Amino acid sequence: MFECVVAEDEELLRTSLLLQLGEVWPGLRIVAECEDGASALEAIAEHKPDVAFLDIRMPGLTGIEVAAALSEVSPRTQVVFVTAYDQYAIDAFEQGAVDYLLKPVARDRLQATVQRLQARVAAGRPDPATLEALLQHLAKRPAEPEAAPPLAWITANSGRETKLIMLDEVAYFRADSKYTVVVTAEGEALLRTPLKELLEALDPRQFRQVHRSTIVNLKAVASVVRDDSGKGTLRLKGRSETLPVSVPFMALFKGM
């Protein structure tokens, strides 16, 4: 039986895709349904599925970033990108052997994609060079105007005091029950904003999720160490503690 991970942050579109997959590929086993890139990457690393349907735009990690990490966490997984209409991306997809689906997903297009996937899965692992070339092409896409500028500062509670904290001063954010802990060189404070919601508002060029419960400021990272099991440890500037990096997220640091 083939196994699959589906990652789409819009619940209605995710539900629709899952229903259609059940109709056109009844032998497919959905091992994880994800609404953000971080959970998708962890699910793929855990299950090593045959296929991953990845929305290109997701909170935190994009589908492109998740796909770029697959060579280390699950090289046999076939990728299908799900995207809104974008001619620049479509032109890139048409040049290679990586499938894509346009939103809303049409049944006949999905059926054709499934037939190609079944043939590729049966033939073995995907061609990493083809996927790498596509990802490099997509990375060069023209810059798009941002809907809103990323946050520059936040307010957080420390006892009875409400602090204004500039984001450049933050070392990392850590999920703690229903709160988020903000850690700086000077101490800790509490936010009521959930980690996932916070991630959507942060500048992805500066802040990266390195664990299900941790977002780190890349400017605060002194070094990254990988152990024999593939897990990583971050050493920070101005803090004595270290931060664990789960295996899936270590792929994001391969350029460091």
Side-chain angles (χ1 to χ4, degrees):
M1 177 179 288
F2 295 135
E3 295 187 339
C4 175
V5 166
V6 173
E8 163 63 64
D9 66 323
E10 297 181 53
E11 184 176 359
L12 289 177
L13 291 176
R14 186 172 68 251
T15 300
S16 174
L17 177 56
L18 289 167
L19 288 173
Q20 290 189 75
L21 280 172
E23 294 172 356
V24 303
W25 199 349
L28 183 67
R29 178 170 173 253
I30 308 296
V31 294
E33 305 169 22
C34 308
E35 57 183 20
D36 60 79
S39 59
L41 184 55
E42 289 190 327
I44 293 169
E46 177 184 354
H47 297 286
K48 305 288 192 297
D50 301 289
V51 182
F53 288 83
L54 303 175
D55 183 13
I56 284 187
R57 294 184 182 180
M58 291 186 287
L61 300 178
T62 66
I64 294 171
E65 290 171 318
V66 173
L70 294 191
S71 61
E72 293 196 23
V73 301
S74 184
R76 63 183 285 273
T77 298
Q78 301 282 343
V79 174
V80 178
F81 286 112
V82 184
T83 178
Y85 183 77
D86 182 325
Q87 190 59 51
Y88 186 83
I90 299 309
D91 290 344
F93 292 138
E94 296 288 9
Q95 301 305 312
V98 179
D99 273 289
Y100 70 93
L101 295 170
L102 290 176
K103 300 179 186 179
V105 177
R107 182 189 173 94
D108 57 345
R109 172 70 187 188
L110 179 60
Q111 199 150 24
T113 296
V114 165
Q115 290 173 353
R116 286 193 294 271
L117 283 171
Q118 289 171 333
R120 287 185 196 144
V121 171
R125 61 179 290 173
D127 178 4
T130 299
L131 181 58
E132 179 66 23
L134 172 61
L135 297 176
Q136 289 180 2
H137 185 84
L138 291 173
K140 297 176 183 176
R141 65 190 300 167
E144 299 177 2
E146 298 182 11
L151 291 175
W153 54 271
I154 55 173
T155 57
N157 297 323
S158 179
R160 295 184 178 181
E161 181 182 10
T162 298
K163 293 184 174 182
L164 187 151
I165 303 173
M166 301 304 294
L167 284 179
D168 277 347
E169 299 173 4
V170 175
Y172 62 95
F173 296 95
R174 183 183 73 245
D176 183 10
S177 186
K178 58 184 178 181
Y179 297 100
T180 296
V181 180
V182 186
V183 182
T184 68
E186 306 208 344
E188 299 183 355
L190 291 178
L191 277 175
R192 292 187 179 273
T193 306
L195 202 70
K196 178 186 172 185
E197 185 178 328
L198 180 65
L199 189 60
E200 295 181 37
L202 295 172
D203 186 345
R205 295 166 298 183
Q206 182 175 351
F207 289 90
R208 285 293 184 127
Q209 190 163 12
V210 297
H211 191 275
R212 182 179 293 273
S213 62
T214 312
I215 300 171
V216 70
N217 182 353
L218 294 178
K219 293 181 178 180
V221 176
S223 65
V224 185
V225 179
R226 184 193 296 263
D227 64 21
D228 293 338
S229 70
K231 295 179 181 178
T233 301
L234 295 183
R235 299 188 186 282
L236 304 171
K237 303 171 185 175
R239 298 285 305 185
S240 60
E241 74 270 30
T242 59
L243 299 179
V245 184
S246 56
V247 174
F249 294 101
M250 275 303 295
L252 304 176
F253 289 91
K254 60 184 178 182
M256 292 185 66

